[in-house]
Amino acid sequence: MKKIVSFVSALVLCLSFCSCGKEDKKKEEIKVPILETNEENYNTVTAEVGNIAMSYTIEGEYSYPYSRYVSVNRGGVVEKLHFDPSEELKAGQLMIEFECDEFKEAIEAQEIKVSEAEKNYNDLKNRGASKAKLDVAQVDLDIEKNNLEKLNKQADVYKVYAPIDGYIEMDGLIEDYAVGNTIEDGKYIGRIIDRSEKQLTANAFERLENVAYGTKVNITQGAVASGTGIVTDIVFHDRGDFSTYEYVIDVDGDTEFYDFGKITINFSVYEKEDVVIVPVDSIVNVGKRTFVYTIVDGIRIETDVELGITDEIREVVEITSGLNGGETIVI
């Protein structure tokens, strides 16, 4: 029995050694695969060294860029309405008057004082009073007139005047401002548009970097017409979250564009020479990283890069760091 037990134990131990040997052999045969790639499997280009221009392309239109918003300063009950929205307004024209009891009595009392001062001066003049007495009477009259003018200016907060010449686009109906209606302070009435001249314009929700007065533009309207121009004005329209910058364009020469149909305006900002350029489609953004895929010895590698200006027309971007030019880039 002892011999049998010894034999079985020895057999088990032998099998264990054999098993371990097989596992070690398998582990030695495992290899980590290297995934090699072929450039032909990718759409690739070569990072070039050349020139790049910073520009913006915006759809243009013919419009009236100059307008002013009109709102109530100090509201209240409408006393008089002085304008018709279908008629052109003139700068400084009185549009609405509100009741202002706090100034009305004071103005009426001051008007009486002015009238009395004028009567006193005229009486002295008719009686042939001395120059000294006339000078004193004139000073008294000027003082009363100045006091009346101050009161009228203070009462102007209860009046609405047209800021520029033009036609008003009402916010709501003219009936809302009928005599007797109550209008709150700061009420937006609408905007007056100067329609004296239509001009070619382009609108952007953000200020275009490096675009200022005198910036050159290229203008095209399909196959109909093409030309050049410059930025002559930048008008900011404050509409809160919907505020815009309107760029007014003066077209060079006698080139004419239709005021209908698509007009494309390209703003040429500046040009840089001898820079590394790659297609915009080759740039990859993951989190805070910006990189391109380069092919090196058939292997695709992530290469971190830093970007410069973008040419929207050619759809290429400047690489300021990470590439030297000549690399094979995956799009």
Side-chain angles (χ1 to χ4, degrees):
M1 181 61 69
K2 288 181 180 179
K3 289 181 179 180
I4 293 173
V5 171
S6 298
F7 177 76
V8 171
S9 299
L11 182 61
V12 170
L13 184 60
C14 181
L15 290 173
S16 298
F17 284 137
C18 291
S19 176
C20 291
K22 288 179 180 179
E23 288 182 2
D24 290 342
K25 187 175 181 180
K26 285 181 180 179
K27 287 181 181 179
E28 289 176 359
E29 291 175 354
I30 293 175
K31 295 182 179 179
V32 178
I34 298 175
L35 300 179
E36 295 187 357
T37 63
N38 191 322
E39 293 182 20
E40 296 179 357
N41 295 333
Y42 297 99
N43 184 15
T44 62
V45 296
T46 302
E48 299 179 359
V49 176
N51 301 346
I52 189 169
M54 182 179 183
S55 62
Y56 302 96
T57 301
I58 301 177
E59 189 169 331
E61 62 177 351
Y62 277 93
S63 64
Y64 303 104
Y66 300 108
S67 64
R68 290 281 296 277
Y69 297 111
V70 185
S71 59
V72 174
N73 190 350
R74 185 75 62 81
V77 178
V78 178
E79 186 174 52
K80 290 181 182 179
L81 193 64
H82 296 274
F83 77 102
D84 183 337
S86 65
E87 297 179 354
E88 185 177 10
L89 294 165
K90 297 297 181 182
Q93 179 180 332
L94 180 60
M95 297 173 64
I96 306 174
E97 282 186 82
F98 295 98
E99 294 179 1
C100 55
D101 295 337
E102 61 178 296
F103 289 107
K104 191 172 184 179
E105 293 181 1
I107 290 173
E108 289 175 353
Q110 189 60 37
E111 286 175 344
I112 292 173
K113 290 181 179 180
V114 171
S115 179
E116 291 175 347
E118 285 179 335
K119 184 177 182 302
N120 180 54
Y121 177 82
N122 291 330
D123 287 346
L124 289 172
K125 188 175 181 180
N126 292 333
R127 292 200 302 265
S130 65
K131 183 179 183 303
K133 288 184 177 181
L134 285 175
D135 288 344
V136 171
Q138 182 65 57
V139 170
D140 290 340
L141 177 57
D142 291 342
I143 290 173
E144 300 303 339
K145 283 183 176 181
N146 287 336
N147 289 336
L148 178 60
E149 185 178 353
K150 289 178 182 178
L151 287 171
N152 282 324
K153 284 184 177 179
Q154 290 174 327
D156 273 350
V157 295
Y158 288 95
K159 299 176 182 179
V160 178
Y161 295 94
I164 60 172
D165 294 351
Y167 290 86
I168 187 169
E169 285 186 351
M170 295 286 295
D171 181 41
L173 304 173
I174 187 63
E175 289 77 14
D176 297 337
Y177 303 90
V179 173
N181 285 2
T182 300
I183 308 297
E184 69 272 17
D185 295 353
K187 167 70 175 175
Y188 171 67
I189 298 175
R191 67 175 182 139
I192 297 177
I193 303 171
D194 178 5
R195 295 186 180 179
S196 60
E197 185 179 359
K198 255 187 175 182
Q199 292 180 282
L200 181 61
T201 62
N203 284 280
F205 286 107
E206 295 182 358
R207 183 75 181 254
L208 301 181
E209 185 180 355
N210 297 314
V211 173
Y213 303 103
T215 298
K216 294 181 179 180
V217 299
N218 294 307
I219 312 162
T220 57
Q221 191 171 39
V224 177
S226 63
T228 59
I230 61 170
V231 176
T232 57
D233 203 356
I234 303 171
V235 182
F236 177 65
H237 298 290
D238 189 358
R239 303 187 186 100
D241 293 338
F242 301 97
S243 297
T244 59
Y245 291 89
E246 190 166 18
Y247 293 83
V248 183
I249 309 299
D250 185 16
V251 180
D252 296 332
D254 299 326
T255 306
E256 294 185 2
F257 298 91
Y258 295 111
D259 60 358
F260 59 88
K262 184 177 179 181
I263 300 175
T264 302
I265 301 176
N266 177 255
F267 296 79
S268 302
V269 181
Y270 61 81
E271 186 173 347
K272 297 176 72 174
E273 299 179 351
D274 298 327
V275 297
V276 180
I277 303 168
V278 300
V280 172
D281 290 345
S282 67
I283 304 300
V284 182
N285 293 289
V286 178
K288 295 182 178 181
R289 286 188 64 205
T290 299
F291 61 89
V292 295
Y293 288 109
T294 58
I295 301 296
V296 179
D297 297 331
I299 300 174
R300 189 178 69 167
I301 298 174
E302 294 179 1
T303 303
D304 290 325
V305 295
E306 294 181 3
L307 308 182
I309 65 176
T310 301
D311 186 336
E312 295 183 359
I313 301 297
R314 295 163 56 199
E315 296 185 344
V316 294
V317 61
E318 172 194 7
I319 303 297
T320 59
S321 175
L323 300 177
N324 296 317
E327 295 89 347
T328 300
I329 308 296
V330 177
I331 298 180

